[in-house]
Amino acid sequence: SQRPEQNGTPMYSSEFSVKDSQDKKTKWRISLYPKGTIDAPDHLSVYVENHSGFPVQASYDISIIDSNKKGCVGKSKFHVFASRKRWGWSKFSSLDIVNDETRMLLPNDTLTLVCNLYIKGE
């Protein structure tokens, strides 16, 4: 599929929240660059953004789910997120892999990402 976005143009998820072990609510958003960032053209770029207003220690993994609902392309990290900062991968996957019809990563021209986010308590 050919997205209309240019290289370096992001798409954003809705904001979502995760509670830590002390029931403190943290806020997050995923930013996705369908054609990569300026420094990583021809790649799918994916980032997790902290929207909590305070630093958060978190580990996270992101996977692309194929048409059989299996995680195919996945990566994980642990990081201390400063407020309003993001971390992730400028080269999460090459667009050749994402667009390869034999991998079935774009059923009905829809990319499905799953993000598991684990907050480390204080």
Side-chain angles (χ1 to χ4, degrees):
S1 173
Q2 293 299 318
R3 298 279 320 167
E5 292 85 6
Q6 296 297 312
N7 173 259
T9 303
M11 298 173 67
Y12 299 102
S13 73
S14 300
E15 192 174 88
F16 59 94
S17 61
V18 178
K19 291 184 178 180
D20 70 10
S21 59
Q22 284 82 38
D23 238 17
K24 187 174 185 178
K25 186 176 176 180
T26 61
K27 296 178 185 176
W28 304 87
R29 180 174 78 170
I30 304 293
S31 57
L32 171 76
Y33 293 76
K35 293 193 176 172
T37 56
I38 298 298
D39 62 329
D42 301 319
H43 283 80
L44 183 69
S45 303
V46 183
Y47 299 91
V48 177
E49 301 177 0
N50 176 9
H51 281 226
S52 303
F54 51 86
V56 179
Q57 292 185 62
S59 60
Y60 58 98
D61 58 73
I62 297 176
S63 299
I64 297 175
I65 305 301
D66 69 10
S67 61
N68 295 316
K69 307 221 183 311
K70 294 181 182 172
C72 289
V73 178
K75 298 191 177 189
S76 61
K77 267 188 186 178
F78 172 80
H79 195 78
V80 178
F81 288 82
S83 176
R84 299 286 177 191
K85 295 296 181 184
R86 70 180 193 181
W87 289 93
W89 300 273
S90 60
K91 294 182 178 180
F92 184 80
S93 178
S94 77
L95 292 180
D96 288 341
I97 290 173
V98 173
N99 292 317
D100 181 349
E101 290 184 16
T102 63
R103 293 179 180 263
M104 300 181 296
L105 299 179
L106 293 171
N108 301 316
D109 274 346
T110 302
L111 179 72
T112 302
L113 293 178
V114 172
C115 176
N116 294 302
L117 190 63
Y118 308 94
I119 309 302
K120 184 176 179 194
E122 295 178 30

